[in-house]
Amino acid sequence: QITLKESGPTLVKPTQTLTLTCTFSGFSLSTSGVGVGWIRQPPGKALEWLALIYWDDDKRYSPSLKSRLTITKDTSKNQVVLTMTNMDPVDTATYYCAQSIAALDYWGQGTLVTVSS
Amino acid sequence: EIVMTQSPATLSVSPGERATLSCRASQSVSSNLAWYQQKPGQAPRLLIYGASTRATGIPARFSGSGSGTEFTLTISSLQSEDFAVYYCQQYNNWPLWTFGQGTKVEIK
């Protein structure tokens, strides 16, 4: 059974750095072809893809956010970490992580992050 | 950036009827197109990948078609649990995977 779960702060202040952790089970990020990505969804709005890391440490970022994002993996802990710098109220959203093989195959439940002073 | 445009924004359908959702890409994405279902308060769920392949456990009433720039998701006979928002997503062009704005399927 494949599961993913996001964890991190629910509230951050403007200009702070957000660090989110995706802890997964049921698959390995050392298996060829496997990736883990991050997607966000502002309240009442559509999905926005942020970043993805592959089994071989290949990393991809949304061009509009690339300067603010860093994605890393810890294969031994079955975790993927996303950091986003210089948070702004417009970054308020539910943040999801998802396993990627065919597309975005399995998703975590999401974590709501609010940016407010 | 490839822009994904879904239509209609809202689709009102009676249970048991057929629903047809459209997704158009601003340039070709080959068959690298996925569909997701999202219910209120839940994470999206993968329905279709490769434009027409159902994901594991997805009922046969869901089908996808198309290639290039025009895609369709068809739900052959709507069940009560199918009322949700549906998103298409292209994964053909790096460095940006893009989603459509969603189609809400509501009870008529």
Side-chain angles (χ1 to χ4, degrees), chain A residues 39 41 45-49 52 54 60-63 96 100 102-110, chain B residues 34 36 38 41-46 48-49 56 87 89 91 94-102:
Chain A
I39 307 95
Q41 185 173 39
K45 296 188 177 181
L47 301 163
E48 179 185 15
W49 177 82
L52 193 144
Y54 283 107
R60 308 294 177 102
Y61 296 101
S62 169
Y96 297 99
S100 178
L104 292 165
D105 301 57
Y106 293 92
W107 294 59
Q109 63 190 24
Chain B
Y36 302 86
Q38 187 178 33
Q42 296 186 17
R45 176 175 70 148
L46 177 65
I48 301 285
Y49 63 92
T56 303
Y87 293 96
Q89 178 232 340
Y91 52 97
W94 285 115
L96 182 61
W97 288 0
T98 45
F99 291 89
Q101 79 279 20

Side-chain angles (χ1 to χ4, degrees), chain A residues 31-90:
Chain A
T31 301
S32 178
V34 177
V36 172
W38 287 92
I39 307 95
R40 70 180 179 180
Q41 185 173 39
K45 296 188 177 181
L47 301 163
E48 179 185 15
W49 177 82
L50 301 176
L52 193 144
I53 188 166
Y54 283 107
W55 84 101
D56 59 357
D57 211 38
D58 184 14
K59 301 170 186 177
R60 308 294 177 102
Y61 296 101
S62 169
S64 63
L65 294 168
K66 185 176 183 178
S67 63
R68 299 173 53 204
L69 296 175
T70 302
I71 190 169
T72 60
K73 63 181 175 69
D74 186 330
T75 305
S76 64
K77 292 183 179 179
N78 282 350
Q79 290 182 333
V80 170
V81 175
L82 181 76
T83 61
M84 181 180 291
T85 61
N86 195 24
M87 293 293 285
D88 183 271
V90 300

Side-chain angles (χ1 to χ4, degrees), chain B residues 68-101:
Chain B
T69 62
E70 300 283 344
F71 301 89
T72 300
L73 174 70
T74 302
I75 311 171
S76 60
S77 176
L78 269 160
Q79 307 298 304
S80 58
E81 62 266 30
D82 300 335
F83 293 97
V85 178
Y86 292 83
Y87 293 96
C88 64
Q89 178 232 340
Q90 68 82 16
Y91 52 97
N92 187 68
N93 281 49
W94 285 115
L96 182 61
W97 288 0
T98 45
F99 291 89
Q101 79 279 20

